[in-house]
């Protein structure tokens, strides 16, 4: 009987998790299609075919739902960064791997759509900007921790790791800015060239001897 109870509990949790993922997928589509302000919890509940009370059991507010949607959209990438940003004898190769992956991420269609959504909505719904700002903060935190360890190991010059994280991410944003202003998505060659340039400039600024070496 104990095993039956455990299996029953496990099935309930699985159904609950599936329902949560369905809610986030529906909300994600509606936010992108209609905008944050125009997407109400009632509209999401209607799209899901359930009651608003059920939706609120999972997410007590639209702000929390939007935050969960953003967190879910970036969860896989954060795990990739966690795997990538490990202590390494080849700092240049690791920074290049980061800049390459970061530029590809921020120039993806969904990332650009989200940035446009936030830019449009933030003035009338300031909570959108506050919630969205957590996404790059999480990436910069992972970078800052990696750079702090590299500085302690003498692979980068001593500096504020958070500043270093800001610098390298800002160096990667040129191609995204082009897309935000209506330009074409970058080619693989453009992403690679952008990553190479960002890495070279960063390492020249932060390598111990100032030459860009690891």
């Amino acid at each position: 009987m104990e095993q039956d109870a455990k299996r029953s509990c496990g099935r309930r949790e699985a159904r609950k998790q599936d329902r949560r993922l369905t809610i986030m997928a529906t909300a994600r589509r509606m936010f992108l299609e209609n905008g944050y302000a125009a997407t109400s919890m009632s509209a999401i509940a209607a799209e899901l075919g359930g009651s608003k009370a059920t939706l609120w059991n999972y997410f007590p507010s639209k702000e929390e739902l939007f935050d969960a949607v953003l967190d879910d959209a970036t969860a896989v990438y954060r795990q990739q960064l966690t795997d990538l940003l490990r202590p390494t004898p080849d700092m240049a190769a690791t920074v290049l791997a980061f800049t390459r992956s970061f530029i590809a991420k921020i120039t993806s269609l969904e990332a650009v759509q989200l940035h446009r959504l936030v830019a449009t909505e933030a003035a009338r719904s300031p909570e959108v900007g506050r919630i969205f700002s957590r996404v790059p903060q999480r990436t910069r935190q992972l970078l800052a921790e990696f750079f702090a360890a590299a500085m302690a190991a003498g692979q980068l010059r001593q500096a504020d790791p958070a500043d270093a994280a800001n610098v390298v991410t800002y160096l990667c944003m040129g191609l995204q800015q082009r897309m935000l202003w209506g330009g074409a998505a970058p080619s693989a060659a453009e992403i690679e060239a952008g990553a190479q340039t960002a890495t070279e400039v960063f390492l020249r600024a932060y390598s111990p001897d100032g030459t860009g070496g690891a």
Side-chain angles (χ1 to χ4, degrees), residues 23-175:
I23 290 170
M24 288 193 294
T26 300
R28 183 173 177 171
R29 175 176 55 78
M30 294 181 71
F31 284 137
L32 289 174
E33 290 178 356
N34 306 319
Y36 178 84
T39 301
S40 67
M41 293 290 273
S42 296
I44 294 170
E47 184 74 12
L48 289 163
S51 69
K52 188 176 178 180
T54 299
L55 175 58
W56 281 68
N57 284 335
Y58 285 88
F59 298 99
S61 68
K62 187 168 72 168
E63 291 86 350
E64 289 189 39
L65 177 53
F66 187 61
D67 188 29
V69 166
L70 291 179
D71 187 69
D72 182 67
T74 56
V76 172
Y77 183 64
R78 288 201 309 276
Q79 183 56 56
Q80 291 173 350
L81 285 186
T82 299
D83 295 337
L84 172 65
L85 298 175
R86 298 184 183 278
T88 173
D90 192 342
M91 181 59 55
T94 300
V95 174
L96 177 59
F98 166 77
T99 57
R100 186 185 292 129
S101 70
F102 186 67
I103 293 172
K105 177 65 176 177
I106 64 176
T107 57
S108 67
L109 178 59
E110 183 176 72
V112 172
Q113 287 176 327
L114 282 171
H115 273 82
R116 286 173 176 160
L117 167 66
V118 171
T120 301
E121 301 275 351
R124 55 183 172 180
S125 302
E127 68 271 19
V128 174
R130 290 194 298 270
I131 294 168
F132 188 76
S133 68
R134 298 170 194 164
V135 174
Q137 285 174 356
R138 291 160 183 159
T139 296
R140 287 195 292 266
Q141 180 60 35
L142 289 171
L143 269 174
E145 292 170 0
F146 172 72
F147 288 149
M151 290 170 187
Q155 293 175 297
L156 297 175
R157 68 174 177 82
Q158 290 298 314
D160 185 332
D163 286 346
N166 288 336
V167 167
V168 75
T169 54
Y170 291 150
L171 286 169
C172 292
M173 291 180 177
L175 291 172

Side-chain angles (χ1 to χ4, degrees), residues 8-24:
S8 178
C9 181
R11 286 193 294 269
R12 284 197 301 271
E13 287 301 314
R15 286 195 297 269
K16 185 176 180 180
Q17 181 63 17
D18 288 344
R19 184 62 173 170
R20 188 175 190 275
L21 292 173
T22 299
I23 290 170
M24 288 193 294

